[in-house]
Amino acid sequence: MSVPGIIPIRHEPDYRTSTIGRWQGGQFFASVTAAFPEGWSGDDWQSQKRWCAVLHRFDGAGRHLDSRIRFTGTTADGEKKAIDAARLLLAEWLNALPERQYQDIAIAPFEVRLEGALFGLVVEEDVDEADEEDEEDDGVWAEFHPDGLGFNAPWNGSYDT
């Protein structure tokens, strides 16, 4: 089964998708997350782990409109301080969305890069599994970066972490 053009994402209060939903202008996916630069080698991870507030906005059909991403600090600078700053900023952004309602969404894959970090819902393929005959899990999925949420068949909005 191939990746659908529009991927459902289930709203789960008090969990990883608690801040997704709809607003007057369409849909949104918001989170506080940590991002590493692409190609990061694993050295000095505390200074490479950058915390940020993220707000992706989509039209009613799920097409990406824009993204607000702001880094608030690294783990090396103080993880709690960076996370708290990101949460405050995200709350401000969410409060500014007219007619905001938290609920399930359905969006198209997209990619945004900022300061060497990948953000977005990206179609991924495991080349080793691509030759298998299993139609439900053909080694293709969609990964929400950098949040680490994986979506796959049966494409019902559930995700793996």
Side-chain angles (χ1 to χ4, degrees), residues 33 35 52 54 56 69 71 110-112 114 117-121 145-146:
T33 190
C52 54
V54 180
H56 302 292
I69 303 165
F71 294 106
F110 71 102
E111 294 182 25
V112 175
L114 180 67
L118 173 64
F119 296 84
L121 183 59
H145 291 273

Side-chain angles (χ1 to χ4, degrees), residues 21-94:
R22 296 185 179 273
W23 63 292
Q24 184 180 46
Q27 304 178 70
F28 66 91
F29 187 110
S31 68
V32 170
T33 190
F36 287 93
E38 287 185 281
W40 168 69
S41 69
D43 295 330
D44 191 26
W45 69 269
Q46 292 94 341
S47 67
Q48 297 298 312
K49 187 175 185 179
R50 297 178 295 165
W51 290 93
C52 54
V54 180
L55 174 61
H56 302 292
R57 296 187 314 165
F58 309 87
D59 68 14
R63 291 180 298 261
H64 182 250
L65 295 172
D66 58 36
S67 296
R68 290 183 82 176
I69 303 165
R70 186 172 308 158
F71 294 106
T72 56
T74 66
T75 294
D77 297 331
E79 189 166 282
K80 182 181 180 336
K81 179 179 151 188
I83 291 171
D84 288 347
R87 285 182 179 150
L88 283 171
L89 183 58
L90 188 62
E92 180 182 310
W93 292 348
L94 288 170

